[in-house]
Amino acid sequence: MSSVDSDAEEPELDLSNSDVVTKYKAAADICNRALAAVVAECVDGRSIVELCNRGNTMMDELVSKVFKGKDVEKGVAFPTCISVNNCAGHFCPLESDAAVKNGDVVKIDLGCHIDGFIAVQAHTIVVQPDPKVPITGRAADVIAAAQTCFEAALRLVRPGKSVAEVPGPLQAIAESFGCNLLEGVMSHQLKRFVIDGNKCVLNRPSPEARVEDGEFEVNEVYAIDIVVSTGDGKARILDEKETTIYKRALDMEYHLKMKASRTVFGEINKRFPTMPFTVGALSDPRTMRLGLVECLNHGLLHPYPVMYERNGELVAQVKATVLLMPNGSDRVTVAPQQVVQSEKKVEDPEVLELLKSGYKTKKKKKGGKKGGGEEGAGQASAATTSGA
């Protein structure tokens, strides 16, 4: 058999393969259930460490129950993070007295994978005694801005459109709510065992920060990630010691000198060769921190630092996994919604027209007539009042 024939028989590992779609959707279902469980436990006084552990433990438990008996790698693809108020993301402490309290704007971020096919999502809630009470004020503004930006991005990240078309409407939406997109945040293409593909959208380009343009294509998968702030959108690292999430830098090699470094790096290569992980998931987190230092000094790991806006500002995040199917976009990660009532709204006619459009192609009616418009049209109109 020739190599050409052998290659031809290899199954496609994109959305044209129904098994791949099944695995993405199974991972998404686990994400949805884990995030809903964390949301339900975000009550006044609940420990942030316990909330992070709850999300990670639930994902581990749920992935163990699917594709049993098959040689399929599966597990956490992004550790559960609980980032409060002006904390923009990646807060997953090993030890902390910090707890969520009533009135806090809480971002929950997590992800899992099955056979390397990744589903991630992030959601923002306000902790309150009665979750049915509408969210108002600046918390409502920033959450509505993030939700509406996401709805716009969902309609822009689709086949036939380009990376360069996405940022403009997002910034217009954020400004209409008196907010700003957070600098440096990207929506990445997801591939098998790749959580941050090279094809990506920089939500807030600048002369100093740009990404390569390109067209979105059918059968691609994206983690559409929107982070919005009531402040200037310029997050900072306050304490590098807070960083607990890392990812192996696959393009870097170095012969580590310290035994502790070789031990921790060996465990990372064995257990977390491609996905981000939390130090808390290592076999001996406290002693292994020493070994991490040499790994970081020589670029063997990518850190996910904890980022902060200025004190007093609020940050909201909406992230979801979206499959670009032939019949339109399929958002496979969803979260329980609170009622959000912002006094601000989008007034730009072009943006409003975009938000009214759909993101699923209507099937042709019998007799060859096409149905008018697209499915999904008008779904964004409720984003500022009752969530996306």
Side-chain angles (χ1 to χ4, degrees):
M1 182 184 293
S2 71
S3 61
V4 173
D5 292 335
S6 176
D7 290 344
E9 292 183 6
E10 283 292 320
E12 288 291 331
L13 293 179
D14 63 18
L15 300 180
S16 64
N17 184 324
S18 62
D19 289 341
V20 170
V21 176
T22 297
K23 288 172 182 175
Y24 271 118
K25 290 189 174 182
D29 178 63
I30 289 167
C31 272
N32 294 339
R33 293 166 66 184
L35 191 138
V38 176
V39 167
E41 295 187 18
C42 270
V43 296
D44 187 50
R46 182 70 161 153
S47 160
I48 288 178
V49 171
E50 290 176 1
L51 289 169
C52 292
N53 291 339
R54 171 65 166 146
N56 295 336
T57 300
M58 188 164 185
M59 284 191 286
D60 281 332
E61 289 176 352
L62 291 173
V63 296
S64 71
K65 297 175 181 177
V66 297
F67 293 90
K68 296 174 71 173
K70 298 182 180 181
D71 186 20
V72 172
E73 187 176 334
K74 51 196 177 179
V76 173
F78 197 84
T80 305
C81 298
I82 304 293
S83 306
V84 178
N85 296 330
N86 68 316
C87 181
H90 304 154
F91 191 65
C92 180
L94 304 185
E95 297 177 347
S96 174
D97 294 330
V100 298
K101 60 183 184 298
N102 286 333
D104 281 346
V105 175
V106 178
K107 295 157 289 295
I108 305 161
D109 189 4
L110 52 76
C112 72
H113 77 97
I114 294 173
D115 198 20
F117 298 105
I118 302 162
V120 290
Q121 76 162 317
H123 182 54
T124 303
I125 64 167
V126 174
V127 180
Q128 47 191 14
D130 183 356
K132 294 180 181 179
V133 173
I135 299 165
T136 58
R138 287 302 274 159
D141 294 341
V142 73
I143 293 172
Q147 291 173 340
T148 311
C149 281
F150 178 87
E151 289 292 336
L154 186 59
R155 289 154 172 80
L156 291 165
V157 179
R158 56 184 304 184
K161 292 191 177 291
S162 70
V163 168
E165 292 179 69
V166 181
L170 303 189
Q171 186 59 32
I173 291 168
E175 289 174 359
S176 70
F177 288 95
C179 298
N180 278 297
L181 292 164
L182 201 72
E183 286 185 350
V185 177
M186 296 185 185
S187 294
H188 284 277
Q189 184 181 5
L190 299 172
K191 293 185 176 181
R192 192 182 186 207
F193 291 111
V194 179
I195 199 169
D196 50 2
N198 290 333
K199 199 169 182 180
C200 57
V201 178
L202 181 60
N203 293 348
R204 186 176 167 178
S206 67
E208 298 79 27
R210 294 185 179 277
V211 296
E212 186 176 343
D213 196 10
E215 259 196 23
F216 304 109
E217 298 177 21
V218 173
N219 295 327
E220 292 180 336
V221 182
Y222 286 88
I224 298 180
D225 191 3
I226 304 295
V227 185
V228 179
S229 166
T230 58
D232 60 11
K234 298 179 180 180
R236 313 131 175 95
I237 302 170
L238 298 184
D239 185 356
E240 291 185 355
K241 293 180 181 178
E242 285 189 324
T243 303
T244 61
I245 298 175
Y246 302 93
K247 183 171 74 71
R248 171 77 169 92
L250 295 175
D251 57 339
M252 296 296 292
E253 292 185 7
Y254 176 78
H255 183 68
L256 294 162
K257 304 295 190 293
M258 293 174 54
K259 182 179 178 181
S261 305
R262 294 194 297 271
T263 299
V264 68
F265 195 59
E267 182 175 345
I268 291 167
N269 278 329
K270 183 177 180 180
R271 296 180 56 205
F272 312 105
T274 58
M275 302 293 178
F277 64 93
T278 170
V279 176
L282 297 173
S283 57
D284 190 353
R286 291 181 181 177
T287 59
M288 285 190 171
R289 269 195 174 279
L290 176 63
L292 287 173
V293 174
E294 189 181 5
C295 296
L296 286 165
N297 287 343
H298 295 281
L300 297 179
L301 299 174
H302 290 305
Y304 287 77
V306 182
M307 307 293 289
Y308 291 88
E309 250 283 14
R310 291 176 299 181
N311 282 333
E313 304 295 353
L314 301 174
V315 179
Q317 181 181 22
V318 177
K319 178 168 63 177
T321 303
V322 179
L323 315 184
L324 304 191
M325 303 293 287
N327 66 337
S329 299
D330 190 358
R331 176 184 180 175
V332 292
T333 50
V334 293
Q337 298 293 327
Q338 294 176 315
V339 177
V340 178
Q341 293 182 346
S342 172
E343 294 182 358
K344 297 178 170 59
K345 62 181 181 179
V346 176
E347 296 181 344
D348 185 304
E350 291 185 8
V351 175
L352 288 172
E353 192 64 28
L354 171 67
L355 293 170
K356 289 177 183 176
S357 67
Y359 51 86
K360 281 192 178 290
T361 306
K362 267 234 175 180
K363 295 179 180 178
K364 291 182 179 180
K365 293 182 179 179
K366 289 183 179 180
K369 293 181 180 178
K370 291 184 179 179
E374 295 177 295
E375 293 178 10
Q379 290 188 14
S381 61
T384 59
T385 56
S386 58

